[in-house]
Amino acid sequence: AQSVAQPEDQVNVAEGNPLTVKCTYSVSGNPYLFWYVQYPNRGLQFLLKYITGDNLVKGSYGFEAEFNKSQTSFHLKKPSALVSDSALYFCAVRVPYSSASKIIFGSGTRLSIRP
Amino acid sequence: DAGVIQSPRHEVTEMGQEVTLRCKPISGHNSLFWYRQTMMRGLELLIYFNNNVPIDDSGMPEDRFSAKMPNASFSTLKIQPSEPRDSAVYFCASSVGTATEAFFGQGTRLTVV
């Protein structure tokens, strides 16, 4: 069965500092991995994805994520945090091209950036 | 494209009433998902359609919940009868095929009193 773990409910970072939001996954096969962001009273917005190739993928708003197959991790990173990055972040996994190619989300991590 | 469109945005109903949530996926997308978000349980997948066919409904809580996708441009999630514990934000999302990211609607906030 597919599963995604986000071990931190909340991450607090000072503006200008680098940030990391952690994600690990468990699936059979080679998954596609995604990060989404949710602002208050809004739907989830797609940030970036890993399909294949370079383990470091870049996405919207200066975010990037590093895929590590041996550690089954896909951590979200940003070199310099902004107050406007404060939101709820979700990691997700999908096994592509399968009959059960559903998208499973982690529990979410609330990112708080202090000025 | 207008994105995934959900209606209504807010719904308040009394316990025991029937509730129908609606979703119009992005044109050309053939995978559709219904999720439920609560503080306690996070974001749960309720049901997943591919080419209008339900592929996985293992997340549907109980027989009170049902979902249909009569055509490629419309899906409904029905709760009958509704209960206070069904109060949540329900999201619809769609994607192209089975190997891409999904795009979410704005959600329907359901309150059952």
Side-chain angles (χ1 to χ4, degrees):
Chain A
Q2 299 168 235
S3 66
V4 180
Q6 293 182 242
E8 302 154 317
D9 290 337
Q10 176 135 356
V11 171
N12 300 307
V13 178
E15 187 174 30
N17 283 0
L19 68 87
T20 299
V21 182
K22 296 179 181 178
C23 171
T24 59
Y25 63 91
S26 175
V27 299
S28 300
N30 296 315
Y32 289 1
L33 297 157
F34 310 99
W35 276 100
Y36 286 79
V37 60
Q38 185 181 30
Y39 297 100
N41 301 313
R42 303 294 298 274
L44 277 70
Q45 296 178 33
F46 169 72
L47 273 180
L48 52 78
K49 64 184 175 184
Y50 173 81
I51 295 177
T52 188
D54 193 346
N55 289 342
L56 186 66
V57 293
K58 296 185 184 298
S60 306
Y61 311 121
F63 283 94
E64 56 192 27
E66 186 168 13
F67 171 68
N68 187 316
K69 187 172 184 177
S70 63
Q71 297 185 3
T72 60
S73 67
F74 188 55
H75 300 331
L76 181 70
K77 301 181 179 183
K78 188 171 182 180
S80 179
L82 299 173
V83 172
S84 58
D85 293 330
S86 299
L88 187 57
Y89 290 79
F90 290 94
C91 182
V93 63
R94 185 174 201 181
V95 178
Y97 306 113
S98 73
S99 60
S101 185
K102 55 191 178 184
I103 301 178
I104 299 299
F105 285 83
S107 55
T109 298
R110 188 163 300 281
L111 179 62
S112 178
I113 309 300
R114 59 183 184 276
Chain B
D1 199 310
V4 176
I5 299 173
Q6 293 187 245
S7 64
R9 290 293 310 277
H10 303 273
E11 177 81 33
V12 180
T13 190
E14 293 185 346
M15 182 173 64
Q17 296 298 305
E18 177 180 297
V19 175
T20 299
L21 311 182
R22 296 172 175 80
C23 175
K24 177 179 170 56
I26 294 172
S27 177
H29 285 196
N30 61 344
S31 287
L32 185 138
F33 308 83
W34 282 101
Y35 291 90
R36 177 172 69 176
Q37 186 177 30
T38 61
M39 289 292 291
M40 292 298 295
R41 301 174 69 89
L43 195 62
E44 303 172 275
L45 176 65
L46 299 178
I47 188 167
Y48 160 51
F49 291 88
N50 187 244
N51 292 324
N52 312 337
V53 175
I55 302 299
D56 188 329
D57 65 354
S58 59
M60 295 287 264
E62 49 199 271
D63 291 345
R64 297 185 298 107
F65 285 68
S66 62
K68 295 183 179 180
M69 193 165 185
N71 56 61
S73 59
F74 184 65
S75 178
T76 60
L77 178 68
K78 184 178 295 186
I79 308 172
Q80 166 64 19
S82 58
E83 296 182 3
R85 60 191 168 121
D86 302 330
S87 297
V89 180
Y90 290 81
F91 288 105
C92 177
S94 69
S95 74
V96 177
T98 61
T100 63
E101 64 274 20
F103 293 88
F104 279 72
Q106 293 298 300
T108 296
R109 183 175 296 276
L110 173 66
T111 303
V112 183
V113 298

